[in-house]
Amino acid sequence: MAETIPSFADYDHIIVAMSTGKDSLACHLKLIEDGADPAKIEWWHHDVDGQEGSSLMDWPITRDYGAKLADAFGIPLYFSWKEGGFEREMCRDGAPTARNHFETPSGLKSAGGNSHKTGTRRKFPQCSADLSVRWCSAYLKIDVASTAINNQERFLGKRTLFVTGERAQESAARARYKTFEPHRTDLRHSPRRYRHVDHWRPIHAWSEEQVWDIIRRHGVNPHPAYHAGFGRVSCMNCIFMSHNQAATIQAHAPDRIGKLANYEKEFGCTIHRTLGVLERAAKGTPYEAATSEAMKRCLGEEYDLPILVDPKNWIIPAGAFGESCGPT
Ligand code: SF4
């Protein structure tokens, strides 16, 4: 079936949900190759840990790598997050969910957090394709982005293309996603608050080969975690981590995985129903590519390698085509 490419000239804004992983990067590169005007593009990155000091889930290097990646392409990068991030949401005990913060062209804004509806979590999100129980994606990414669109006047009376990088190859659940549909914030039929927002998944039909190929063509040095052997990059301590990923993190950042283990003990409930995270680490083998130097870079806060390299010298990272454990 022929691929449908939206007419970019019909949009005022193009937002790319930029995790800094390979799929969101491929979305941006495809937009450029398909002729989208870079001046209309902006990247949105959701900090899963928030910006209030929690360091439970995210790779420490991601923010700086993302900032330098955005600089290299001349694209504005806006960070957004739920206050207190994953940790606060997970520890909610008879309390309402926190508000969301989002950077905008006119500064930092906040919205939400006014609900009187209280709730208690005190357990990790469940490893399920159902977003109502795997609440991390819904509460820390999807809702944060929707809040940021709903609360910026600049999208009213305009047409916006919202771009995300899910691929059918990743899971049966993702295979069922539509490639193009009205975004959940769309108000195209509202006579008083018109806002047209389309959701496009431009690489939905792509294979992993195609993703790495476009990154190679543009000579982009991918997120350091790929060089350390990880096949998917979003949260370092993703609830979907494999035994080998757990073993790699245990070998290089025992304090980070130790925090997960402490919460498992406190909640009396492990992330996976049968084994605790440290038992899983004990069953795995650290990635060979996760050398001290490679992991030091992932665990640092300053990215010190070039972002763009000559495509002729581009090297496929060790994590490509490897274990692909991540959100289903
Ligand atoms: S990467 Fe994993 S832990 Fe992080 S938000 Fe997504 S599913 Fe949740």
Side-chain angles (χ1 to χ4, degrees):
M1 200 168 56
E3 184 191 19
T4 310
I5 297 173
S7 166
F8 301 125
D10 293 345
Y11 294 95
D12 303 285
H13 304 280
I14 302 174
I15 299 167
V16 180
M18 176 54 68
S19 72
T20 75
K22 66 183 187 310
D23 297 322
S24 46
L25 176 58
C27 287
H28 175 76
L29 300 175
K30 178 166 165 52
L31 281 167
I32 299 301
E33 287 194 355
D34 287 346
D37 178 357
K40 290 184 180 176
I41 301 177
E42 55 192 87
W43 291 356
W44 288 12
H45 177 81
H46 310 305
D47 283 314
V48 169
D49 281 330
Q51 291 194 13
E52 288 76 27
S54 172
S55 56
L56 192 66
M57 303 302 285
D58 281 323
W59 285 104
I61 195 62
T62 293
R63 284 179 58 81
D64 194 53
Y65 172 74
K68 287 176 174 152
L69 191 64
D71 267 2
F73 285 98
I75 301 293
L77 170 62
Y78 299 114
F79 289 94
S80 50
W81 66 96
K82 178 176 279 296
E83 191 167 287
F86 184 106
E87 197 166 4
R88 174 175 166 167
E89 179 63 26
M90 179 173 73
C91 294
R92 203 142 66 87
D93 191 357
T97 193
R99 63 190 172 155
N100 295 321
H101 303 284
F102 46 95
E103 293 177 349
T104 77
S106 51
L108 182 65
K109 298 195 183 333
S110 305
N114 311 318
S115 168
H116 296 296
K117 203 174 135 209
T118 57
T120 297
R121 293 205 187 276
R122 296 194 52 75
K123 66 176 172 201
F124 283 92
Q126 293 180 24
C127 296
S128 161
D130 179 353
L131 295 183
S132 66
V133 291
R134 192 184 93 215
W135 51 261
C136 47
S137 302
Y139 273 68
L140 303 165
K141 295 179 174 176
I142 298 168
D143 286 355
V144 173
S146 297
T147 303
I149 294 178
N150 286 335
N151 290 281
Q152 290 188 65
E153 297 282 315
R154 67 189 175 110
F155 297 117
L156 287 178
K158 303 283 186 199
R159 291 172 61 99
T160 299
L161 186 62
F162 191 83
V163 178
T164 60
E166 300 95 341
R167 291 183 298 114
Q169 195 187 50
E170 294 174 295
S171 70
R174 289 192 170 198
R176 288 193 291 274
Y177 289 1
K178 291 195 174 118
T179 301
F180 194 87
E181 60 186 331
H183 188 256
R184 63 209 297 265
T185 59
D186 181 74
L187 289 176
R188 72 189 62 182
H189 300 301
S190 169
R192 286 189 298 119
R193 264 183 94 74
Y194 169 86
R195 179 177 59 217
H196 184 116
V197 189
D198 285 321
H199 189 161
W200 187 35
R201 298 184 173 93
I203 63 163
H204 189 244
W206 280 24
S207 63
E208 185 172 347
E209 281 85 348
Q210 287 174 286
V211 170
W212 286 118
D213 198 48
I214 199 168
I215 294 171
R216 177 194 56 73
R217 281 205 299 281
H218 290 262
V220 185
N221 208 350
H223 189 290
Y226 292 117
H227 289 298
F230 289 75
R232 264 169 114 165
V233 170
S234 189
C235 291
M236 163 178 161
N237 271 341
C238 179
I239 55 168
F240 291 99
M241 74 170 75
S242 67
H243 292 359
N244 292 343
Q245 284 173 6
T248 307
I249 297 165
Q250 166 71 354
H252 295 273
D255 53 322
R256 293 290 302 267
I257 203 162
K259 284 189 196 170
L260 298 186
N262 289 343
Y263 274 124
E264 286 184 328
K265 220 183 280 168
E266 185 182 327
F267 300 151
C269 179
T270 53
I271 297 176
H272 282 260
R273 289 298 170 253
T274 46
L275 294 175
V277 72
L278 296 182
E279 292 170 291
R280 301 184 61 235
K283 284 181 176 291
T285 308
Y287 293 134
E288 213 175 297
T291 58
S292 305
E293 190 192 341
M295 286 303 286
K296 198 168 154 213
R297 183 164 290 113
C298 297
L299 296 167
E301 292 183 3
E302 199 165 325
Y303 181 73
D304 60 350
L305 290 178
I307 291 284
L308 296 175
V309 298
D310 184 334
K312 289 202 287 297
N313 301 327
W314 185 87
I315 302 166
I316 188 93
F321 308 111
E323 282 188 306
S324 200
C325 324
T328 49

